[in-house]
Amino acid sequence: MFSGFLMGMEKVTAGETESMRGKIDCAKERLVIFGEKMRKLPGSTWETIGKVGRDDPRRVIHALKVGLSLTLVSLLYLMEPLFKGIGQNSIWAVMTVVVVLEFTAGATLCKGLNRGLGTLLAGSLAFGIGYVAEESGRVLRAIFIGAAVFFIGTASTYTRFVPYIKKNYDYGVVIFLLTFNLITVSSYRVEDVVKIAHDRFYTIAIGCGICLLMSLLVFPNWSGEELHNSSVSKLEGLAKSIEACVKEYFSEEEAKVTEDCKSSEDPIYKGYKAVLDSKSIDETLALHASWEPRHSWHCRFPWQQYVKLGCGLRHFGYTVVALHGCLQTEIQTPRTVRALFKDPCIRLSAEVSKALKELAESIRSRRQCSPEILSDHLHQSLSDLNTALKSQPRLFLGPNTNQSTNNILANLAAADAAAPQKLEKHFGPSSKLSSFKTDSSALIEWKSRRASEQAKENERKVLRPTLSKIAIMSLEFSEALPFAAFASLLVETVARLDLVIEEVEELGRVARFKEYRDGADDDHVVVVVNNCEGRKVEKNAGDLNHLPSHGTD
């Protein structure tokens, strides 16, 4: 009994030693990987910095504008005459530039006007409350100020939950609450609180003024223009995704299976990713565009229509996502069967892609889309695909539809019998647990029971996918069934294309895009403009080029 106990302890010690060696080897491997990453860090950092600037050169310009603005407001501290006039409160100008100056002019206008308006209202209200509090005694004054802070803070915070306030003036309410509390509470201890409030208001006004000048006059980036261009890029991205997806589905080479099928390098995923992630971005750009100068003197530019167009593109993008998913399914139609339908599918995808590119071009050039955007070639491609599907009816019925249940049960029984061999193949002969047991080996018994439970769990993991796949194969599904799903989704893209075209046409009508003229020069196209008074004014398209492309909603 004692010798059995010693043997068990020796086995446990050997196992712990082996485990310790594995941990040491793993730590060494991680250390080597970390050293390799640190060696490549300078080069990768420099490459990332260069890529950010190459992707959008406006980022470099914006960084320079922020640096210049901070330098200008720092003069309030650096120049002695300015510092004597404003004093320590000049730091608020620096904080204002850091917080307010955004990438686009609309965002800067939104935050700058919110900050200025919130500061002005808070200062006025704080002065009124301070004037009333001065008429009472010191104790009553403290009680009055505390009550005012409580009620104003509660009311201001509650108004932030109102949808309209939260959407348009949330930042202004926060600044109002901050400024009101600073002035009101400071007035109880500081005698010259009026001067402090004046200095703060002046410095905030200086900071906001510098931000607005930089945003509006120095290489301005308009939120409306950003939203306009993003709509164009999303249409082009969807067009590229559809073409690439269909070409890859019918390619002769086998698709490479990777751990991350949605890699950022995948052109299909890269094309529709921007569409799926565009909801919050479109709404934010539309909100900021509503603060920008008007597009014309008569009517407002319909930025909310761009948001509706983005919603339609997302619905279209969901179909492209499902189409892309057909490339990664476990059960695939043989390539010999796919080749029977290759030509009509590729032609159909090319026509859908062509229509999306035409819509993108119409938005880019601000002209209405062609009335023949759904060409006869698209309808002919649909007809050819329908004919090809009808010409192969047996592919969608399955070869052995009357297979008996005995064959299915036989396949399942064979899988059940093969499970132990598969288990032994995966986990080795040691997966068969020994029944060795002694009266004094409680620790060994516990470890054995735990290993037995782990082996049973591993057996279930091996058996489950085996049985499920055999059950699927035993039903003898049609080989063309996965392709039927792919073809159905491809036809669905044509149906959803109509909704996208309707949104683009509505955008062109409300935004008064140039009328489409086949083969005509854009500068000589006559545009009928409906002003807000209901009168029609005819102008040449070239006369409208001087109008800014940003506006309010």
Side-chain angles (χ1 to χ4, degrees), residues 248 251 253-257 327 335:
E248 183 175 339
S251 63
E253 299 178 358
E254 290 290 338
K256 295 181 180 179
V257 180
L327 273 65
R335 297 187 179 276

Side-chain angles (χ1 to χ4, degrees), residues 46-62:
W46 181 254
E47 182 180 355
T48 302
I49 294 174
K51 184 177 183 300
V52 170
R54 289 192 300 270
D55 291 344
D56 192 350
R58 296 178 302 170
R59 297 169 180 170
V60 180
I61 298 175
H62 177 69

Side-chain angles (χ1 to χ4, degrees), residues 245 272 319-330 332 489:
C245 185
Y272 64 72
T319 306
V320 182
V321 173
L323 202 66
H324 188 200
C326 293
L327 273 65
Q328 282 92 27
T329 55
E330 289 291 333
Q332 292 283 349
L489 291 170

Side-chain angles (χ1 to χ4, degrees), residues 167 286-295 300-307 551-553:
K167 180 180 179 182
L287 172 63
H288 293 161
S290 65
W291 290 83
E292 293 177 352
R294 290 190 174 185
H295 176 73
R300 297 182 177 183
F301 207 79
W303 296 114
Q304 289 299 327
Q305 189 61 37
Y306 282 94
V307 177
T552 58
D553 177 66

Side-chain angles (χ1 to χ4, degrees), residues 364-504:
R364 177 187 287 110
S365 58
R366 291 183 173 84
R367 63 164 174 80
Q368 297 179 2
C369 58
S370 170
E372 299 179 356
I373 188 170
L374 294 178
S375 62
D376 295 337
H377 298 289
L378 179 61
H379 296 291
Q380 184 62 40
S381 300
L382 279 172
S383 178
D384 292 343
L385 178 59
N386 185 39
T387 303
L389 292 173
K390 290 182 178 180
S391 65
Q392 303 290 338
R394 293 188 177 181
L395 288 176
F396 301 95
L397 297 178
N400 297 320
T401 56
N402 58 346
Q403 185 180 16
S404 63
T405 308
N406 294 330
N407 291 336
I408 300 176
L409 296 177
N411 290 332
L412 293 177
D416 194 9
Q421 288 79 3
K422 286 185 177 250
L423 181 63
E424 184 173 351
K425 180 181 179 180
H426 280 277
F427 303 101
S430 60
S431 60
K432 296 180 180 180
L433 300 176
S434 174
S435 60
F436 172 76
K437 180 180 178 182
T438 61
D439 294 336
S440 61
S441 57
L443 180 61
I444 300 175
E445 180 183 0
W446 176 79
K447 287 183 173 292
S448 300
R449 185 168 61 252
R450 185 176 179 183
S452 177
E453 294 175 356
Q454 184 66 29
K456 291 179 180 179
E457 180 66 23
N458 292 332
E459 181 179 353
R460 286 194 295 269
K461 290 181 179 179
V462 172
L463 189 59
R464 191 183 303 117
T466 304
L467 293 179
S468 61
K469 285 188 176 182
I470 290 180
I472 292 174
M473 294 303 180
S474 64
L475 293 177
E476 291 292 344
F477 280 115
S478 167
E479 290 181 336
L481 187 60
F483 171 77
F486 181 85
S488 176
L489 291 170
L490 189 58
V491 175
E492 180 68 16
T493 59
V494 180
R496 298 199 177 190
L497 180 63
D498 289 335
L499 301 178
V500 178
I501 294 175
E502 290 178 3
E503 293 295 340
V504 175

Side-chain angles (χ1 to χ4, degrees), residues 11-27 447:
K11 290 182 179 179
V12 171
T13 304
E16 291 178 352
T17 305
E18 188 68 24
S19 177
M20 184 62 68
R21 290 178 181 175
K23 290 181 180 180
I24 294 174
D25 294 339
C26 183
K447 287 183 173 292

Side-chain angles (χ1 to χ4, degrees), residues 70-111:
L70 290 174
T71 303
L72 292 176
V73 296
S74 297
L75 296 178
L76 298 176
Y77 248 87
L78 301 177
M79 297 182 66
E80 192 69 23
L82 295 177
F83 181 76
K84 288 182 179 180
I86 298 178
Q88 297 289 340
N89 289 302
S90 57
I91 193 64
W92 290 105
V94 179
M95 293 176 62
T96 300
V97 171
V98 173
V99 174
V100 171
L101 189 54
E102 295 286 343
F103 183 73
T104 61
T108 303
L109 282 165
C110 178
K111 297 191 74 172

